[in-house]
């Protein structure tokens, strides 16, 4: 049986808005509003969506970088969302993170050896300096950097090399899961491909689980096992990679896929241009949050919040269209996006 590494249930993070003469709370930003998902050992779950939809806030909430409004986060069978800082500290070894900007996330005053040795010391994973040196050397081998580079400073490396160091630092704690928060979005195209391939190789070698947060659907389609699509603080669709890219079951996912460049010259595909702007997370619209931009919206969408329900083979979507007869559902009567049709 596959081990469940991370389980998130009804996660909410609402940021208070301060104002008025006394600086009281005048409202909330509903950044994440009822998100649930799970990740198994050796699996990659990608979290995708437009900028500002709450993807990174989910990642930081799972990492307990700030207190949650409500919900549960279970890591390797232990609930961590309500743990005190002291109780949580030894469990932080099990979940590590690779941030978007590899330069700002590295201490410029420490050489690479000290950066990689710090988590080894913090979690008591070595008994001597000689053992630390050996572990640091092995980490450099894993991310395909020369061992003698451990005596250099972060500014002496390129962006891709810095990100490899960040990955090595995450691996130093011997985690079960790594949160990659836009980990390749700041890199050049060729370097991006190298880092993605490295992450896949490390996952296969070490059995790591990954929460891969990204807006780059081409990268996601290449490396993920399952995909969760977010819109305005909520997950609107979850499916296996092939199911989601081959036959999306939510109008928002359909629009996202239509915007991905077609890799085959001359191939035709209908581009879906959504009307209007994303509503404010301070005052989300009633009913389905996507109804203000959805080309298929009807009265029920404006009044009733759709439930994330399974439409078969583990493919979940939060859309009232799936309560209609199949012949009346426009999502079920379309060809899959050209770029993702199976050969």
């Amino acid at each position: 049986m596959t081990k469940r590494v991370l389980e998130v249930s009804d996660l909410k993070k609402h940021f208070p808005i301060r104002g008025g003469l006394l600086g009281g709370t005048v409202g909330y930003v509903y950044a994440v509003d009822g998100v649930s998902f799970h990740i198994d050992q050796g699996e990659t779950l990608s979290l995708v969506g437009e900028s500002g939809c709450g993807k990174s806030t989910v990642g930081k909430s799972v990492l307990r970088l700030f207190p949650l409004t409500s919900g549960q986060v279970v890591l390797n069978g232990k609930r961590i969302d309500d743990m005190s800082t002291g109780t949580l500290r030894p469990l932080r070894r099990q979940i590590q993170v690779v941030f978007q900007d590899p330069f700002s996330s590295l201490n410029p005053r420490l050489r690479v050896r000290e950066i990689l040795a710090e988590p080894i010391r913090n979690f008591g994973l070595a008994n001597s300096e000689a053992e630390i040196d050996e572990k640091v050397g092995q980490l450099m081998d894993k991310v395909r950097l020369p061992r003698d580079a451990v005596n250099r400073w972060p500014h002496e490396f390129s962006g891709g090399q810095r990100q490899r160091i960040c990955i090595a630092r995450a691996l130093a704690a011997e985690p079960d899961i790594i949160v990659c928060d836009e980990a390749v979005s700041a890199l050049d195209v060729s370097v991006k491909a190298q880092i993605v391939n490295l992450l896949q190789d490390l996952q296969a070698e070490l059995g790591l689980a990954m929460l891969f947060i990204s807006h780059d659907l081409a990268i996601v389609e290449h490396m993920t096992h399952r995909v969760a699509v977010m819109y305005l603080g909520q997950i609107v669709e979850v499916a296996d990679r092939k199911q989601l890219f081959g036959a999306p079951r939510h109008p928002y996912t359909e629009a996202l896929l239509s915007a991905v460049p077609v890799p085959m010259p001359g191939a035709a595909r209908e581009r879906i241009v959504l009307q209007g702007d994303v509503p404010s997370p301070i005052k989300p619209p009633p009913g389905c949050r996507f109804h203000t931009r959805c080309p298929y919206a009807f009265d029920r969408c404006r009044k009733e919040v759709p439930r994330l329900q399974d439409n078969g083979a583990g493919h979940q979507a939060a859309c009232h269209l799936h309560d209609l007869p199949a012949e009346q559902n426009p999502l079920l009567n379309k060809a899959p996006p050209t770029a993702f049709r199976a050969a």
Side-chain angles (χ1 to χ4, degrees), residues 18-39:
R18 307 293 182 185
L21 293 176
L22 301 177
T25 300
V26 296
Y28 291 91
V29 176
Y30 297 92
V32 177
D33 201 24
V35 165
S36 300
F37 60 86
H38 68 268
I39 308 176

Side-chain angles (χ1 to χ4, degrees), residues 11 13 27 33 49 60 74 87 100 191-192 207 268 280 293 310 320:
L11 178 66
K13 179 56 185 177
D33 201 24
K60 291 173 182 176
V74 178
T87 307
Q100 178 177 357
V191 177
K192 186 182 297 188
S280 170
R293 305 172 74 197
D310 197 322
H320 293 311

